[in-house]
Amino acid sequence: MKIAFTSTGKDMSSKIDARFGRTDYIIVLDDTTKGIDIIDNTAIANEAHGAGPKTAQKIFEVKADVIITGNGPGGNALTVFKKSATKIFIGAAGMSVEEAYQQFLKNKLSEM
């Protein structure tokens, strides 16, 4: 299973970004191999509109099964995700990526 985290930094100790579309980074954890990929999403800050769907596209490209974020995607991005089997978990803002991962494993995050 691949898990995508919205993140303010590039490692598991970084904080979960409460924002979805304008998150600085997306950390993708392969739950099976424990391998990590980092997606730099900082260029999205210059986008006037459509940040959520563009970030969603990046997550689709890595074939993430789960997204863990703070507040969740906005309406346009959420519409995109509803057409897929991707599960979205919210409520992780302020946690480190590692803490959010542990909370996910314990079923402590809320699913959208």
Side-chain angles (χ1 to χ4, degrees):
M1 168 175 35
K2 286 188 178 179
I3 305 170
F5 300 85
T6 59
S7 177
T8 59
K10 299 179 183 180
D11 58 51
M12 296 293 283
S13 65
S14 301
K15 295 291 183 188
I16 292 289
D17 198 329
R19 306 166 301 166
F20 175 80
R22 297 193 186 279
T23 187
D24 289 334
Y25 299 95
I26 302 163
I27 295 177
V28 181
L29 170 67
D30 185 319
D31 191 45
T32 305
T33 66
K34 303 301 182 204
I36 295 175
D37 291 315
I38 309 300
I39 299 170
D40 186 335
N41 200 46
T42 55
I44 208 82
N46 298 323
E47 297 289 330
H49 302 286
K54 288 176 183 173
T55 299
Q57 181 62 38
K58 291 179 182 181
I59 292 172
F60 276 129
E61 289 171 4
V62 298
K63 298 181 173 119
D65 303 292
V66 171
I67 299 166
I68 296 177
T69 187
N71 299 325
N76 291 335
L78 190 55
T79 299
V80 173
F81 285 118
K82 284 184 178 179
K83 296 177 183 178
S84 74
T86 307
K87 294 183 179 185
I88 303 168
F89 292 86
I90 59 171
M95 296 179 196
S96 71
V97 173
E98 179 62 37
E99 289 169 330
Y101 176 57
Q102 295 303 320
Q103 292 300 305
F104 168 75
L105 294 176
K106 295 174 185 174
N107 295 314
K108 299 283 186 179
L109 299 177
S110 300
E111 185 174 356
M112 281 190 85

